[in-house]
Amino acid sequence: MLNIKNLKVGLAEEDKQILNGVDLNIGEGEVHAIMGPNGSGKSTTSYVLAGKDGYNVTAGSAELNGENLLDMDPEERAAAGLFLAFQYPVEIPGVGNMTFLRTAVNAQRKARGEKELTAGEFLKIVREKAKSLKIDAEMLKRPVNVGFSGGEKKRNEILQMAMLEPKMCVLDETDSGLDVDAMKLVAEGVNALRDGKRSFLVITHYQRLLDHIKPDVVHIMANGKIIKTGGPELALEVEQNGYADILAEVA
Amino acid sequence: MTDMIAKDGVEAETVEAVKSLSGKYKYGFSTDVEIEYAPLGLSEDIVRLISEKNDEPEWMLEWRLQAFERWKQMKEPDWAMVDYPKIDFQDIYYYARPKSMSEDKPKSLDEVDPKLLETYEKLGIPLKEQALLAGVEVPDGDRKVAVDAVFDSVSVGTTFQKELKNAGVIFMSISEALKEHPDLVKKYIGSVVPQSDNFYATLNSAVFSDGSFVYIPEGVKCPMELSTYFRINAENTGQFERTLIIAEKGSSVSYLEGCTAPQRDVAQLHAAVVELVIQEDAEIKYSTVQNWYPGDENGKGGIYNFVTKRADCRGDRAKVMWTQVETGSAVTWKYPSCILRGNESQGEFYSIAIANNMQQADTGTKMIHLGKNTKSRIVSKGISAGKAQNTYRGLVSMHPKAENARNYTQCDSLLIGDKCGAHTVPYIEVKNNTARVEHEATTSKVDDDQLFYCRQRGMDEEEAVALVVNGFCKEVLQALPMEFAMEAQALVAISLEGSVG
Ligand SMILES: Nc1ncnc2c1ncn2[C@@H]1O[C@H](COP(=O)(O)OP(=O)(O)OP(=O)(O)O)[C@@H](O)[C@H]1O
Ligand SMILES: [Mg+2]
């Protein structure tokens, strides 16, 4: 599904290297988790995959199902099936959440040559999905993320993901800021989308999310590289001992 | 809930509409009909000729001549933040009409030259008496929009005359009104915007050729939206229309004007005057969707739009609401104003002004508080892109008798790119210490994070900009009548095409 090879990335504006050769292979239907200290390059990896401005790829490659992601515009990557749940979802004043969603869904359908959803079809689907994430009609009407609580923003990301039905979902700290119940909801939302084909890359600091979303593989990132890869037990190790041992091990 | 679907549908469809209209200025075509011009330039003879063409009463001619004499003494104003080549007023045609509208003037729309009707159809303004404007679904089924279509210097026809007449409403071209209701016209014309008001208004007073006249009698709620659609077609021709709306005691009306012009290399002049008279407890909602040809990316051609619009709230509790979406024109100079004379009268001004490429807009409003407890509200959204300059210029004046008057002004500017400019010039005069004026202003750039967020969800860059900008303008778009909100949203998006990337 997602194949990242020796990805090296620096900032466009200043002479600073952030990713120092990331390697990552996620197969169809797999769930991978990335953990790692603050500032290690996890969000940067997700931004570069999604095509955010401001970064220079100096080496390496990133492919989604064999297609070169790095050559595409952000919207082409989205239409190809890449979704990023943002660590900090963006507010868009004046634009109804529902309008935003429908515009996005139809833009992607159009890009893929599919028929656009009518207002009625769309409404039916969105209501159903919103309900399972306990997002009420009021929140759907409000402008995108404006005045949403931290947890509401994260649930809204998952709603967008559910509506867009991507192939490859990258979730950047979707668990931070969630209360216990909300975390369960989000995890259920994610699990409901696991169908053996769709793949996930879950960026998190905490084992507790991985209790609900069981990863197949866990990676540790530090200083812009994946320094260790293992099974779910690796996350438990981090939870108990922090990163010191692992960092020392590879040093 | 239904309310939500409707509004939501509107926005989503905007983006679709924009996609389908991927061209540039889509109203840039011209209609090939035989045109009859008055001789080039301006003189007393031309003023007489226009009056004669319209078969006007003697007093009207006198009034025009008086204005012309005054105009000759006046100087073109230069205080606005706009810069354009000097206009040669002798190199303009002041009157142009399709030949088919001359000798044997058609008696009804059925007899109008099909080419003219086709023009309006192409513009999405069907002159057949349909309940719907092309492509616009009206939620409650049977709301109608009556249209007066002005082509160059003449009105081609007005729809729904009969229904309106039954309700007691007069809606016709001003040239017809001069024949059928001369007393009403005489009583009110120039009573809100005096002949000598300003250079362009005085010019208009001398040479206005047509426009719309609306009279809503006491207690009548106008049964449908009224609209006038201005089309400049002939080359090298100025359009000088005059609109006069009178709302008697306790009456109300919602009126919309739309404007387009063909794409031409040489700039054209448009100098209109709009006068609104609002009596006790009456209400006028006046909306404008202005989409004159803006000129090309290098500033060649386009319409010079110099307009004087004023509402006089004469009676107590009279209410006026100006809403404008200004997306076109090379140069815009326009300040729809409210004279709040009656006690507790209210004025509102909602504006979206978009300037892209080389466009220049200097627009705003004047709120003149004369009466007690008068209230005004100004919401201005200026969007600049390309190398455009966009200025908000507003006056709030609290006169000595304006006890407890209130004004609230909110003035937001949005910049797309770094070669454009936004300017805010508020003038405030307070001569009554119980009056209160509040002013808030913001300037921001289109946020890259917002655009990236939209694009990550699948929208292309232009769709993303359209969505974000429409969000920025939301408050004003909501103030438009439902029928036109969608068109306006599409326009916002279209006029920003090519502003990113
Ligand atoms: N636009 C930028 N300008 C300057 N520094 C940047 C920029 N983007 C990323 N960085 C730096 O790159 C490093 C990696 O940041 P990144 O956000 O990817 O970390 P992270 O692993 O997601 O951390 P966290 O766990 O705190 O979310 C940090 O040192 C950060 O300050
Ligand atoms: Mg991060």
Side-chain angles (χ1 to χ4, degrees), chain A residues 110-141:
Chain A
K110 215 166 173 180
R112 292 195 290 255
E114 298 162 13
K115 213 176 121 278
E116 291 174 41
L117 294 179
T118 64
E121 288 166 342
F122 172 79
L123 208 63
K124 196 164 160 259
I125 304 172
V126 92
R127 284 214 184 110
E128 197 181 293
K129 307 221 170 186
K131 204 171 157 198
S132 63
L133 286 161
K134 299 228 164 86
I135 291 175
D136 58 21
E138 181 56 31
M139 233 170 95
L140 289 175
K141 269 202 249 183

PDB file of all heavy atoms in Angstrom, chain A residues 110-141:
ATOM      1  N   LYS A 110     -15.450  13.170  -8.259  1.00  0.00           N
ATOM      2  CA  LYS A 110     -15.275  13.702  -9.596  1.00  0.00           C
ATOM      3  C   LYS A 110     -13.882  13.367 -10.134  1.00  0.00           C
ATOM      4  O   LYS A 110     -13.734  12.918 -11.263  1.00  0.00           O
ATOM      5  CB  LYS A 110     -15.450  15.217  -9.553  1.00  0.00           C
ATOM      6  CG  LYS A 110     -16.099  15.765 -10.799  1.00  0.00           C
ATOM      7  CD  LYS A 110     -16.539  17.185 -10.530  1.00  0.00           C
ATOM      8  CE  LYS A 110     -17.050  17.851 -11.777  1.00  0.00           C
ATOM      9  NZ  LYS A 110     -17.479  19.215 -11.504  1.00  0.00           N
ATOM     10  N   ALA A 111     -12.877  13.565  -9.275  1.00  0.00           N
ATOM     11  CA  ALA A 111     -11.498  13.295  -9.693  1.00  0.00           C
ATOM     12  C   ALA A 111     -11.329  11.829 -10.081  1.00  0.00           C
ATOM     13  O   ALA A 111     -10.528  11.493 -10.942  1.00  0.00           O
ATOM     14  CB  ALA A 111     -10.536  13.672  -8.579  1.00  0.00           C
ATOM     15  N   ARG A 112     -12.092  10.970  -9.437  1.00  0.00           N
ATOM     16  CA  ARG A 112     -11.980   9.542  -9.740  1.00  0.00           C
ATOM     17  C   ARG A 112     -12.952   9.102 -10.827  1.00  0.00           C
ATOM     18  O   ARG A 112     -13.073   7.926 -11.131  1.00  0.00           O
ATOM     19  CB  ARG A 112     -12.243   8.722  -8.468  1.00  0.00           C
ATOM     20  CG  ARG A 112     -11.160   8.871  -7.416  1.00  0.00           C
ATOM     21  CD  ARG A 112     -11.272   7.795  -6.351  1.00  0.00           C
ATOM     22  NE  ARG A 112     -12.449   7.990  -5.517  1.00  0.00           N
ATOM     23  CZ  ARG A 112     -12.387   8.466  -4.281  1.00  0.00           C
ATOM     24  NH1 ARG A 112     -11.230   8.783  -3.741  1.00  0.00           N
ATOM     25  NH2 ARG A 112     -13.477   8.619  -3.562  1.00  0.00           N
ATOM     26  N   GLY A 113     -13.674  10.069 -11.378  1.00  0.00           N
ATOM     27  CA  GLY A 113     -14.615   9.759 -12.445  1.00  0.00           C
ATOM     28  C   GLY A 113     -15.883   9.073 -11.957  1.00  0.00           C
ATOM     29  O   GLY A 113     -16.562   8.383 -12.719  1.00  0.00           O
ATOM     30  N   GLU A 114     -16.209   9.268 -10.683  1.00  0.00           N
ATOM     31  CA  GLU A 114     -17.449   8.689 -10.159  1.00  0.00           C
ATOM     32  C   GLU A 114     -18.550   9.727 -10.147  1.00  0.00           C
ATOM     33  O   GLU A 114     -18.292  10.923 -10.205  1.00  0.00           O
ATOM     34  CB  GLU A 114     -17.223   8.172  -8.725  1.00  0.00           C
ATOM     35  CG  GLU A 114     -16.207   7.068  -8.625  1.00  0.00           C
ATOM     36  CD  GLU A 114     -15.687   6.870  -7.196  1.00  0.00           C
ATOM     37  OE1 GLU A 114     -16.313   7.424  -6.259  1.00  0.00           O
ATOM     38  OE2 GLU A 114     -14.667   6.212  -7.045  1.00  0.00           O
ATOM     39  N   LYS A 115     -19.775   9.256 -10.037  1.00  0.00           N
ATOM     40  CA  LYS A 115     -20.913  10.169  -9.996  1.00  0.00           C
ATOM     41  C   LYS A 115     -20.932  10.914  -8.662  1.00  0.00           C
ATOM     42  O   LYS A 115     -20.662  10.339  -7.614  1.00  0.00           O
ATOM     43  CB  LYS A 115     -22.214   9.365 -10.155  1.00  0.00           C
ATOM     44  CG  LYS A 115     -23.294  10.117 -10.898  1.00  0.00           C
ATOM     45  CD  LYS A 115     -24.495   9.221 -11.095  1.00  0.00           C
ATOM     46  CE  LYS A 115     -25.753   9.767 -10.493  1.00  0.00           C
ATOM     47  NZ  LYS A 115     -26.044   9.608  -9.124  1.00  0.00           N
ATOM     48  N   GLU A 116     -21.270  12.204  -8.728  1.00  0.00           N
ATOM     49  CA  GLU A 116     -21.320  12.962  -7.480  1.00  0.00           C
ATOM     50  C   GLU A 116     -22.576  12.615  -6.686  1.00  0.00           C
ATOM     51  O   GLU A 116     -23.576  12.215  -7.265  1.00  0.00           O
ATOM     52  CB  GLU A 116     -21.279  14.458  -7.794  1.00  0.00           C
ATOM     53  CG  GLU A 116     -19.919  14.858  -8.328  1.00  0.00           C
ATOM     54  CD  GLU A 116     -19.869  16.295  -8.788  1.00  0.00           C
ATOM     55  OE1 GLU A 116     -20.438  17.149  -8.103  1.00  0.00           O
ATOM     56  OE2 GLU A 116     -19.255  16.546  -9.840  1.00  0.00           O
ATOM     57  N   LEU A 117     -22.489  12.779  -5.394  1.00  0.00           N
ATOM     58  CA  LEU A 117     -23.658  12.496  -4.559  1.00  0.00           C
ATOM     59  C   LEU A 117     -24.619  13.678  -4.593  1.00  0.00           C
ATOM     60  O   LEU A 117     -24.199  14.825  -4.557  1.00  0.00           O
ATOM     61  CB  LEU A 117     -23.228  12.264  -3.112  1.00  0.00           C
ATOM     62  CG  LEU A 117     -22.372  11.030  -2.816  1.00  0.00           C
ATOM     63  CD1 LEU A 117     -22.038  10.985  -1.331  1.00  0.00           C
ATOM     64  CD2 LEU A 117     -23.106   9.754  -3.218  1.00  0.00           C
ATOM     65  N   THR A 118     -25.901  13.384  -4.650  1.00  0.00           N
ATOM     66  CA  THR A 118     -26.882  14.462  -4.559  1.00  0.00           C
ATOM     67  C   THR A 118     -26.969  14.903  -3.099  1.00  0.00           C
ATOM     68  O   THR A 118     -26.504  14.187  -2.199  1.00  0.00           O
ATOM     69  CB  THR A 118     -28.277  13.992  -4.983  1.00  0.00           C
ATOM     70  OG1 THR A 118     -28.702  13.002  -4.050  1.00  0.00           O
ATOM     71  CG2 THR A 118     -28.255  13.388  -6.379  1.00  0.00           C
ATOM     72  N   ALA A 119     -27.607  16.049  -2.887  1.00  0.00           N
ATOM     73  CA  ALA A 119     -27.748  16.569  -1.526  1.00  0.00           C
ATOM     74  C   ALA A 119     -28.419  15.519  -0.630  1.00  0.00           C
ATOM     75  O   ALA A 119     -28.010  15.299   0.506  1.00  0.00           O
ATOM     76  CB  ALA A 119     -28.538  17.863  -1.535  1.00  0.00           C
ATOM     77  N   GLY A 120     -29.437  14.860  -1.167  1.00  0.00           N
ATOM     78  CA  GLY A 120     -30.196  13.879  -0.391  1.00  0.00           C
ATOM     79  C   GLY A 120     -29.356  12.671  -0.020  1.00  0.00           C
ATOM     80  O   GLY A 120     -29.312  12.260   1.149  1.00  0.00           O
ATOM     81  N   GLU A 121     -28.677  12.120  -1.008  1.00  0.00           N
ATOM     82  CA  GLU A 121     -27.830  10.938  -0.763  1.00  0.00           C
ATOM     83  C   GLU A 121     -26.773  11.253   0.283  1.00  0.00           C
ATOM     84  O   GLU A 121     -26.538  10.491   1.215  1.00  0.00           O
ATOM     85  CB  GLU A 121     -27.112  10.526  -2.062  1.00  0.00           C
ATOM     86  CG  GLU A 121     -28.009   9.892  -3.099  1.00  0.00           C
ATOM     87  CD  GLU A 121     -27.336   9.829  -4.485  1.00  0.00           C
ATOM     88  OE1 GLU A 121     -26.348  10.557  -4.727  1.00  0.00           O
ATOM     89  OE2 GLU A 121     -27.816   9.059  -5.308  1.00  0.00           O
ATOM     90  N   PHE A 122     -26.154  12.423   0.073  1.00  0.00           N
ATOM     91  CA  PHE A 122     -25.081  12.821   0.953  1.00  0.00           C
ATOM     92  C   PHE A 122     -25.571  12.943   2.399  1.00  0.00           C
ATOM     93  O   PHE A 122     -24.967  12.434   3.335  1.00  0.00           O
ATOM     94  CB  PHE A 122     -24.493  14.154   0.484  1.00  0.00           C
ATOM     95  CG  PHE A 122     -23.509  14.733   1.439  1.00  0.00           C
ATOM     96  CD1 PHE A 122     -22.215  14.256   1.485  1.00  0.00           C
ATOM     97  CD2 PHE A 122     -23.897  15.734   2.315  1.00  0.00           C
ATOM     98  CE1 PHE A 122     -21.313  14.769   2.387  1.00  0.00           C
ATOM     99  CE2 PHE A 122     -23.002  16.252   3.217  1.00  0.00           C
ATOM    100  CZ  PHE A 122     -21.704  15.777   3.252  1.00  0.00           C
ATOM    101  N   LEU A 123     -26.715  13.616   2.530  1.00  0.00           N
ATOM    102  CA  LEU A 123     -27.261  13.889   3.854  1.00  0.00           C
ATOM    103  C   LEU A 123     -27.530  12.602   4.618  1.00  0.00           C
ATOM    104  O   LEU A 123     -27.258  12.487   5.812  1.00  0.00           O
ATOM    105  CB  LEU A 123     -28.556  14.679   3.674  1.00  0.00           C
ATOM    106  CG  LEU A 123     -28.924  15.589   4.817  1.00  0.00           C
ATOM    107  CD1 LEU A 123     -27.846  16.651   4.977  1.00  0.00           C
ATOM    108  CD2 LEU A 123     -30.265  16.253   4.546  1.00  0.00           C
ATOM    109  N   LYS A 124     -28.042  11.628   3.905  1.00  0.00           N
ATOM    110  CA  LYS A 124     -28.394  10.358   4.522  1.00  0.00           C
ATOM    111  C   LYS A 124     -27.131   9.692   5.089  1.00  0.00           C
ATOM    112  O   LYS A 124     -27.115   9.256   6.242  1.00  0.00           O
ATOM    113  CB  LYS A 124     -29.053   9.467   3.463  1.00  0.00           C
ATOM    114  CG  LYS A 124     -29.782   8.303   4.043  1.00  0.00           C
ATOM    115  CD  LYS A 124     -30.732   7.661   3.046  1.00  0.00           C
ATOM    116  CE  LYS A 124     -31.054   6.251   3.476  1.00  0.00           C
ATOM    117  NZ  LYS A 124     -30.307   5.232   2.750  1.00  0.00           N
ATOM    118  N   ILE A 125     -26.100   9.654   4.270  1.00  0.00           N
ATOM    119  CA  ILE A 125     -24.872   8.990   4.695  1.00  0.00           C
ATOM    120  C   ILE A 125     -24.222   9.733   5.859  1.00  0.00           C
ATOM    121  O   ILE A 125     -23.793   9.144   6.844  1.00  0.00           O
ATOM    122  CB  ILE A 125     -23.865   8.895   3.519  1.00  0.00           C
ATOM    123  CG1 ILE A 125     -24.519   8.172   2.343  1.00  0.00           C
ATOM    124  CG2 ILE A 125     -22.607   8.173   3.949  1.00  0.00           C
ATOM    125  CD1 ILE A 125     -23.697   8.177   1.074  1.00  0.00           C
ATOM    126  N   VAL A 126     -24.193  11.061   5.727  1.00  0.00           N
ATOM    127  CA  VAL A 126     -23.485  11.829   6.743  1.00  0.00           C
ATOM    128  C   VAL A 126     -24.188  11.716   8.098  1.00  0.00           C
ATOM    129  O   VAL A 126     -23.547  11.581   9.138  1.00  0.00           O
ATOM    130  CB  VAL A 126     -23.309  13.302   6.298  1.00  0.00           C
ATOM    131  CG1 VAL A 126     -24.401  14.182   6.768  1.00  0.00           C
ATOM    132  CG2 VAL A 126     -21.991  13.854   6.757  1.00  0.00           C
ATOM    133  N   ARG A 127     -25.493  11.703   8.080  1.00  0.00           N
ATOM    134  CA  ARG A 127     -26.237  11.602   9.345  1.00  0.00           C
ATOM    135  C   ARG A 127     -25.934  10.290  10.049  1.00  0.00           C
ATOM    136  O   ARG A 127     -25.719  10.248  11.257  1.00  0.00           O
ATOM    137  CB  ARG A 127     -27.734  11.691   9.061  1.00  0.00           C
ATOM    138  CG  ARG A 127     -28.162  13.103   8.760  1.00  0.00           C
ATOM    139  CD  ARG A 127     -29.576  13.341   9.286  1.00  0.00           C
ATOM    140  NE  ARG A 127     -30.012  14.679   8.910  1.00  0.00           N
ATOM    141  CZ  ARG A 127     -30.962  14.912   8.014  1.00  0.00           C
ATOM    142  NH1 ARG A 127     -31.607  13.906   7.431  1.00  0.00           N
ATOM    143  NH2 ARG A 127     -31.298  16.141   7.714  1.00  0.00           N
ATOM    144  N   GLU A 128     -25.905   9.253   9.256  1.00  0.00           N
ATOM    145  CA  GLU A 128     -25.662   7.923   9.793  1.00  0.00           C
ATOM    146  C   GLU A 128     -24.274   7.841  10.431  1.00  0.00           C
ATOM    147  O   GLU A 128     -24.124   7.388  11.560  1.00  0.00           O
ATOM    148  CB  GLU A 128     -25.757   6.980   8.596  1.00  0.00           C
ATOM    149  CG  GLU A 128     -25.944   5.530   8.863  1.00  0.00           C
ATOM    150  CD  GLU A 128     -25.992   4.834   7.507  1.00  0.00           C
ATOM    151  OE1 GLU A 128     -26.968   5.061   6.742  1.00  0.00           O
ATOM    152  OE2 GLU A 128     -25.014   4.131   7.205  1.00  0.00           O
ATOM    153  N   LYS A 129     -23.287   8.340   9.694  1.00  0.00           N
ATOM    154  CA  LYS A 129     -21.915   8.243  10.193  1.00  0.00           C
ATOM    155  C   LYS A 129     -21.695   9.164  11.383  1.00  0.00           C
ATOM    156  O   LYS A 129     -20.961   8.828  12.299  1.00  0.00           O
ATOM    157  CB  LYS A 129     -20.918   8.591   9.087  1.00  0.00           C
ATOM    158  CG  LYS A 129     -21.156   7.761   7.839  1.00  0.00           C
ATOM    159  CD  LYS A 129     -19.901   7.272   7.195  1.00  0.00           C
ATOM    160  CE  LYS A 129     -20.304   6.274   6.128  1.00  0.00           C
ATOM    161  NZ  LYS A 129     -19.293   5.563   5.463  1.00  0.00           N
ATOM    162  N   ALA A 130     -22.334  10.340  11.331  1.00  0.00           N
ATOM    163  CA  ALA A 130     -22.172  11.292  12.422  1.00  0.00           C
ATOM    164  C   ALA A 130     -22.739  10.696  13.706  1.00  0.00           C
ATOM    165  O   ALA A 130     -22.181  10.864  14.787  1.00  0.00           O
ATOM    166  CB  ALA A 130     -22.865  12.601  12.086  1.00  0.00           C
ATOM    167  N   LYS A 131     -23.827   9.980  13.563  1.00  0.00           N
ATOM    168  CA  LYS A 131     -24.503   9.419  14.717  1.00  0.00           C
ATOM    169  C   LYS A 131     -23.583   8.457  15.464  1.00  0.00           C
ATOM    170  O   LYS A 131     -23.472   8.525  16.686  1.00  0.00           O
ATOM    171  CB  LYS A 131     -25.764   8.682  14.254  1.00  0.00           C
ATOM    172  CG  LYS A 131     -26.813   8.564  15.334  1.00  0.00           C
ATOM    173  CD  LYS A 131     -28.110   8.022  14.766  1.00  0.00           C
ATOM    174  CE  LYS A 131     -28.930   7.398  15.880  1.00  0.00           C
ATOM    175  NZ  LYS A 131     -29.954   6.517  15.316  1.00  0.00           N
ATOM    176  N   SER A 132     -22.902   7.603  14.737  1.00  0.00           N
ATOM    177  CA  SER A 132     -22.059   6.620  15.408  1.00  0.00           C
ATOM    178  C   SER A 132     -20.866   7.283  16.092  1.00  0.00           C
ATOM    179  O   SER A 132     -20.289   6.727  17.001  1.00  0.00           O
ATOM    180  CB  SER A 132     -21.609   5.542  14.431  1.00  0.00           C
ATOM    181  OG  SER A 132     -20.818   6.132  13.431  1.00  0.00           O
ATOM    182  N   LEU A 133     -20.515   8.499  15.656  1.00  0.00           N
ATOM    183  CA  LEU A 133     -19.425   9.215  16.322  1.00  0.00           C
ATOM    184  C   LEU A 133     -19.960  10.230  17.333  1.00  0.00           C
ATOM    185  O   LEU A 133     -19.218  11.053  17.852  1.00  0.00           O
ATOM    186  CB  LEU A 133     -18.563   9.932  15.284  1.00  0.00           C
ATOM    187  CG  LEU A 133     -17.637   9.045  14.454  1.00  0.00           C
ATOM    188  CD1 LEU A 133     -17.196   9.752  13.190  1.00  0.00           C
ATOM    189  CD2 LEU A 133     -16.428   8.627  15.282  1.00  0.00           C
ATOM    190  N   LYS A 134     -21.268  10.144  17.587  1.00  0.00           N
ATOM    191  CA  LYS A 134     -21.937  11.069  18.513  1.00  0.00           C
ATOM    192  C   LYS A 134     -21.675  12.533  18.137  1.00  0.00           C
ATOM    193  O   LYS A 134     -21.389  13.378  18.980  1.00  0.00           O
ATOM    194  CB  LYS A 134     -21.507  10.812  19.965  1.00  0.00           C
ATOM    195  CG  LYS A 134     -21.849   9.423  20.466  1.00  0.00           C
ATOM    196  CD  LYS A 134     -22.516   9.505  21.841  1.00  0.00           C
ATOM    197  CE  LYS A 134     -23.231   8.220  22.216  1.00  0.00           C
ATOM    198  NZ  LYS A 134     -22.387   7.205  22.854  1.00  0.00           N
ATOM    199  N   ILE A 135     -21.741  12.814  16.842  1.00  0.00           N
ATOM    200  CA  ILE A 135     -21.643  14.199  16.383  1.00  0.00           C
ATOM    201  C   ILE A 135     -23.063  14.626  16.050  1.00  0.00           C
ATOM    202  O   ILE A 135     -23.708  13.994  15.217  1.00  0.00           O
ATOM    203  CB  ILE A 135     -20.738  14.284  15.130  1.00  0.00           C
ATOM    204  CG1 ILE A 135     -19.286  13.994  15.541  1.00  0.00           C
ATOM    205  CG2 ILE A 135     -20.860  15.641  14.457  1.00  0.00           C
ATOM    206  CD1 ILE A 135     -18.324  13.942  14.389  1.00  0.00           C
ATOM    207  N   ASP A 136     -23.543  15.662  16.730  1.00  0.00           N
ATOM    208  CA  ASP A 136     -24.958  15.993  16.524  1.00  0.00           C
ATOM    209  C   ASP A 136     -25.153  16.959  15.345  1.00  0.00           C
ATOM    210  O   ASP A 136     -24.195  17.531  14.815  1.00  0.00           O
ATOM    211  CB  ASP A 136     -25.611  16.530  17.807  1.00  0.00           C
ATOM    212  CG  ASP A 136     -24.908  17.765  18.323  1.00  0.00           C
ATOM    213  OD1 ASP A 136     -24.201  18.432  17.519  1.00  0.00           O
ATOM    214  OD2 ASP A 136     -25.059  18.074  19.514  1.00  0.00           O
ATOM    215  N   ALA A 137     -26.402  17.106  14.961  1.00  0.00           N
ATOM    216  CA  ALA A 137     -26.748  17.928  13.791  1.00  0.00           C
ATOM    217  C   ALA A 137     -26.215  19.351  13.939  1.00  0.00           C
ATOM    218  O   ALA A 137     -25.771  19.964  12.970  1.00  0.00           O
ATOM    219  CB  ALA A 137     -28.252  17.943  13.600  1.00  0.00           C
ATOM    220  N   GLU A 138     -26.231  19.818  15.157  1.00  0.00           N
ATOM    221  CA  GLU A 138     -25.761  21.177  15.440  1.00  0.00           C
ATOM    222  C   GLU A 138     -24.296  21.350  15.003  1.00  0.00           C
ATOM    223  O   GLU A 138     -23.935  22.323  14.351  1.00  0.00           O
ATOM    224  CB  GLU A 138     -25.919  21.417  16.956  1.00  0.00           C
ATOM    225  CG  GLU A 138     -25.518  22.774  17.450  1.00  0.00           C
ATOM    226  CD  GLU A 138     -26.265  23.908  16.742  1.00  0.00           C
ATOM    227  OE1 GLU A 138     -27.437  23.701  16.333  1.00  0.00           O
ATOM    228  OE2 GLU A 138     -25.662  24.977  16.585  1.00  0.00           O
ATOM    229  N   MET A 139     -23.493  20.358  15.317  1.00  0.00           N
ATOM    230  CA  MET A 139     -22.074  20.424  14.969  1.00  0.00           C
ATOM    231  C   MET A 139     -21.848  20.349  13.457  1.00  0.00           C
ATOM    232  O   MET A 139     -20.889  20.903  12.939  1.00  0.00           O
ATOM    233  CB  MET A 139     -21.338  19.265  15.642  1.00  0.00           C
ATOM    234  CG  MET A 139     -20.152  19.709  16.461  1.00  0.00           C
ATOM    235  SD  MET A 139     -19.517  18.345  17.441  1.00  0.00           S
ATOM    236  CE  MET A 139     -18.224  17.728  16.391  1.00  0.00           C
ATOM    237  N   LEU A 140     -22.743  19.678  12.775  1.00  0.00           N
ATOM    238  CA  LEU A 140     -22.623  19.571  11.326  1.00  0.00           C
ATOM    239  C   LEU A 140     -22.904  20.906  10.654  1.00  0.00           C
ATOM    240  O   LEU A 140     -22.413  21.200   9.579  1.00  0.00           O
ATOM    241  CB  LEU A 140     -23.588  18.523  10.785  1.00  0.00           C
ATOM    242  CG  LEU A 140     -23.232  17.074  11.108  1.00  0.00           C
ATOM    243  CD1 LEU A 140     -24.325  16.143  10.630  1.00  0.00           C
ATOM    244  CD2 LEU A 140     -21.903  16.696  10.474  1.00  0.00           C
ATOM    245  N   LYS A 141     -23.725  21.698  11.310  1.00  0.00           N
ATOM    246  CA  LYS A 141     -24.110  22.998  10.745  1.00  0.00           C
ATOM    247  C   LYS A 141     -23.062  24.046  10.996  1.00  0.00           C
ATOM    248  O   LYS A 141     -22.930  24.992  10.237  1.00  0.00           O
ATOM    249  CB  LYS A 141     -25.408  23.461  11.424  1.00  0.00           C
ATOM    250  CG  LYS A 141     -26.665  23.026  10.705  1.00  0.00           C
ATOM    251  CD  LYS A 141     -27.814  23.919  11.096  1.00  0.00           C
ATOM    252  CE  LYS A 141     -28.821  23.154  11.919  1.00  0.00           C
ATOM    253  NZ  LYS A 141     -29.996  23.958  12.258  1.00  0.00           N
TER     254      LYS A 141
END
